[in-house]
Amino acid sequence: MSVARAERLVNLVLCLLSTRQYLSAERIRGIVPGYGEAPSDEAFFRTFERDKTELRELGIPLEVGRNSMFDTVDGYRIARRDYELGEIDLEPDEAAAVALAVRLWDSPELTGAAHGALLKLRAAGVEVHQAPHAVVEPKVGTSEPAFGPLLAAVQAGQAVQFDYRRPSGADVHTRTLEPWGVVSWRGRWYVVGNDRDRGAPRCFRLSRVVGDVRKVGRAGQVRRPDGVNLMTFVSTFDSGQSPGQPVRLWVAKGRAAGVRRRARVVGAQEIDGTAGDVVELDLAYPDSAGKWLAGYGPDVVVLAPDVLRKAVRERLLGVAEEAK
């Protein structure tokens, strides 16, 4: 799609979304930037028909109707109740993609044209809906405490040191890293760089960083090597991990159906006088499943591995602390 056509479609959507009235094709032609350049009536109507088809194919609910019984031609509008979306929960990498798209439509060229379209609407006597338009803020959210310090270190070109928990077991080791970048892969955040302890490039998952990230040396000493594709490096590292690690849980009788669907029962056990089943399931990243299992509260108890048991316990203690 050309930039001119994309700009015209955006202006058309803003025009039809900003009024409760039905606007005729001729009125739209005089208001929306991009239609006035049509060399003839036939050219305008061909373009307008293509744009209407494009909007419908994009899922935009275009309404056709008349404002009163005295109108002789049909008009068009977009009902806000059908157009606006509910709350959307995006993974970090999905939010990043949306943010990049928003940066395009937030450019000065398109913003100026959109503002001009609204001014023309008001000048033409069209009732413009005054409620602010719903916007998508170009923000990428993450709950990892290490994200901010590591990103700052990358931008400053400064080495860092942090404590890191291995994928299996509860052992924590100190790592010294020259960070090249922070990237998201399959909903998880990683930092990539030169591991000084191993003398080789490595990537570390942010969810396994324990405690604070500490600065090492002066800023400006770390530079990302030419030709290094961080996403390719992380994807290769991630695909090389084991397909799944065994997790053993206790699940109360008749409870936690979501866990039971993925697990196999291997025994029975009582905990604090409550009957339940001992189940096993394989998780590719057991240390990151703490939030999911903690959501079942007392109906699920982690028996192994120890790192997952500690993660669930920390989340439950955090919830209890916030409730005070």
Side-chain angles (χ1 to χ4, degrees), residues 3-197:
V3 174
R5 185 180 178 190
E7 181 178 344
R8 187 177 67 246
L9 287 175
V10 171
N11 289 330
L12 178 58
V13 170
L14 287 173
C15 172
L16 298 180
L17 191 62
S18 299
T19 177
R20 295 187 178 92
Q21 302 176 34
Y22 290 101
L23 302 181
S24 66
E26 283 295 340
R27 203 166 189 189
I28 291 172
R29 182 181 184 179
I31 293 174
V32 176
Y35 289 125
E37 292 81 5
S40 64
D41 292 344
E42 183 180 355
F44 161 69
F45 282 109
R46 281 201 307 267
T47 302
F48 186 53
E49 287 299 321
R50 286 198 301 267
D51 288 350
K52 288 193 297 180
T53 301
E54 183 77 24
L55 293 183
R56 291 190 175 105
E57 290 177 351
L58 291 172
I60 296 176
L62 194 63
E63 287 189 341
V64 181
R66 301 183 182 185
N67 296 311
S68 71
M69 60 183 296
F70 301 104
D71 289 341
T72 58
V73 295
D74 289 334
Y76 306 89
R77 71 180 183 185
I78 298 174
R80 296 183 65 88
R81 65 180 182 278
D82 298 326
Y83 178 80
E84 293 177 342
L85 299 176
E87 183 178 354
I88 300 176
D89 186 16
L90 298 177
E91 293 293 337
D93 53 347
E94 296 170 332
V98 171
L100 291 176
V102 171
R103 294 287 295 275
L104 169 65
W105 302 115
D106 199 32
S107 65
E109 296 82 5
L110 295 182
T111 301
H115 182 65
L118 294 181
L119 289 179
K120 286 187 177 182
L121 276 173
R122 295 190 177 96
V126 177
E127 179 188 352
V128 177
H129 189 37
Q130 298 296 327
H133 291 288
V135 297
V136 182
E137 295 184 5
K139 298 179 180 178
V140 180
T142 173
S143 59
E144 306 297 347
F147 179 86
L150 287 174
L151 184 60
V154 171
Q155 295 171 340
Q158 189 170 15
V160 293
Q161 197 172 70
F162 52 83
D163 296 330
Y164 190 74
R165 187 177 63 241
R166 291 183 175 180
S168 58
D171 295 339
V172 175
H173 298 272
T174 300
R175 298 294 186 199
T176 303
L177 184 72
E178 298 172 358
W180 298 338
V182 179
V183 297
S184 176
W185 170 253
R186 293 181 176 177
R188 303 177 183 87
W189 286 98
Y190 297 84
V191 59
V192 183
N194 178 55
D195 187 342
R196 288 183 178 176
D197 303 301

